[in-house]
Amino acid sequence: MQYQAVVRKFGPAAEAVEIERAALPVLRRDQVRVRLLARSINPSDIITISGAYAGRTTLPFIPGFEAFGVVEACGEDVYGLAPGTRVLPVRGAGGWQEYKHTDPSWCLRVPDGLSDFEAATSYVNPMTAWLMLHKKIGLRPGMRIAVNAAASSIGSILIGLANAVGVEPVAIVRSEESRARLSGSLEAVIVDRADSDLATGLAGRHGLDAVLDCVGGAHASILAAALKPGGHFVHYGLLSGQSIPPSFWSSHPDIAFSFFHLREWVHSEAMENVQRAYAEVAAQIAAKIIATEVREVFPLEKIRLALQSTLPFRTGGKVLLA
């Protein structure tokens, strides 16, 4: 038997997620059983539970896109992955349970140099940040970039990775409390509290090579106006809850706009490329260039308390299930 966090109807996470006990299914010949040890709670989990992706999510389901564990058993047809291997099973959700049966080719190998909690936070934010910087905008010394929501978990990772190649970003935050949480070398900090704050803060800072935006809304146009012609605008989240207005594209025809969603990249790439990218990210974590603060840890069976502590998402570290 095992504990599982199950969603049987879409809705607010703290109401929709139920903890249940269930028998372990029979392990198929082509699968591995991973004993999960630590799991992150991410915005992508909460959005899926809400029903925003109802068209590609079948009820009931077990949430959890980011979970670390150890291979406990292998089916008869599995080769190259032995019991005891530390892995991140990344194909879809299913991390909020004690055991996960999965395709071995979708298990990313986790190096021994990462702690369990580092491993449990090594995929969603670090991979997203590394891929946006190195695959989307081609980060290199001398670039000038802006990071929105810079005091968030992924914002701090973006700053650390940029600093590693000598780039000092413009950091955009929402409060003085968030400003106080910033670390790393920065070109400037803009506290965006009122309608005019962002435009005033960016005045004289035009000619940016790239903007990394996870907020959306009308301020996207202000950020885009600070880009040089051909500059990259990478949009990867919607913390404001407001879409980028339609006028954005007609007003900024000379920029290179793109969305980034980790799930789409992973599912479009060969797994050896995903593993190669993850190895790069894991090396950055082991070297302490990437670090994720953990705020609280709850046992899986206390999922309701964990969700109450997590929501609404704010700066100050991740909540884990372990």
Side-chain angles (χ1 to χ4, degrees):
M1 301 290 287
Q2 67 162 330
Y3 282 113
Q4 296 178 327
V6 181
V7 174
R8 297 190 177 279
K9 62 179 181 179
F10 297 119
E15 301 171 14
V17 177
E18 301 282 351
I19 196 72
E20 300 179 2
R21 291 279 282 170
L24 282 176
V26 175
L27 184 65
R28 293 200 328 238
R29 298 174 62 95
D30 60 347
Q31 289 184 322
V32 294
R33 175 182 296 141
V34 179
R35 179 167 54 91
L36 299 171
L37 302 175
R39 313 146 187 88
S40 287
I41 300 176
N42 289 300
S44 55
D45 301 314
I46 305 307
I47 292 169
T48 303
I49 293 166
S50 76
Y53 304 134
R56 68 184 193 205
T57 306
T58 302
L59 292 170
F61 75 98
I62 298 167
F65 291 109
E66 186 173 38
F68 160 74
V70 175
V71 175
E72 184 173 83
C74 300
E76 297 173 28
D77 295 339
V78 173
Y79 300 94
L81 193 62
T85 306
R86 306 174 83 229
V87 296
L88 287 165
V90 298
R91 187 173 192 174
W96 295 1
Q97 57 184 327
E98 291 185 272
Y99 297 90
K100 184 176 182 179
H101 289 186
T102 189
D103 183 334
S105 67
W106 286 85
C107 288
L108 300 178
R109 275 65 162 179
V110 176
D112 291 338
L114 270 57
S115 71
D116 289 2
F117 287 178
E118 285 176 325
T121 56
S122 66
Y123 178 61
V124 172
N125 282 345
M127 283 279 282
T128 297
W130 190 88
L131 288 164
M132 288 193 302
L133 290 174
H134 292 282
K135 300 296 186 182
K136 279 286 186 180
I137 72 170
L139 183 68
R140 61 190 182 278
M143 290 185 75
R144 296 180 62 236
I145 69 173
V147 176
N148 211 353
S152 64
S153 293
I154 191 168
S156 65
I157 293 170
L158 287 164
I159 292 169
L161 288 171
N163 286 173
V165 300
V167 172
E168 299 183 353
V170 175
I172 301 162
V173 296
R174 297 292 178 273
S175 67
E176 290 295 337
E177 179 186 4
S178 292
R179 180 205 286 266
R181 297 192 61 83
L182 290 173
S183 61
S185 300
L186 300 166
E187 176 183 326
V189 178
I190 298 170
V191 182
D192 182 19
R193 290 165 298 200
D195 286 345
S196 62
D197 287 347
L198 184 58
T200 301
L202 287 171
R205 299 192 183 280
H206 289 208
L208 297 176
D209 294 286
V211 165
L212 301 160
D213 173 58
C214 61
V215 177
H219 281 196
S221 288
I222 301 173
L223 288 168
L227 287 167
K228 69 181 185 182
H232 294 271
F233 190 109
V234 184
H235 182 56
Y236 67 101
L238 208 61
L239 291 178
S240 68
Q242 300 175 356
S243 299
I244 294 175
S247 60
F248 174 91
W249 284 271
S250 59
S251 301
H252 306 285
D254 59 345
I255 67 170
F257 179 91
S258 61
F259 293 100
F260 184 81
H261 300 291
L262 179 62
R263 181 183 183 276
E264 292 179 6
W265 184 86
V266 168
H267 283 259
S268 67
E269 287 288 326
M271 271 312 290
E272 57 263 31
N273 294 335
V274 179
Q275 183 70 63
R276 190 176 298 113
Y278 178 72
E280 294 274 1
V281 167
Q284 301 288 307
I285 297 171
K288 307 305 180 187
I289 293 169
I290 293 174
T292 300
E293 180 183 353
V294 175
R295 176 160 51 87
E296 287 185 275
V297 182
F298 292 85
L300 178 61
E301 57 268 31
K302 301 294 185 181
I303 182 67
R304 286 284 181 87
L305 290 177
L307 290 168
Q308 290 168 11
S309 177
T310 302
L311 302 172
F313 285 97
R314 58 189 184 276
T315 59
K318 286 279 190 183
V319 174
L320 302 188
L321 302 165

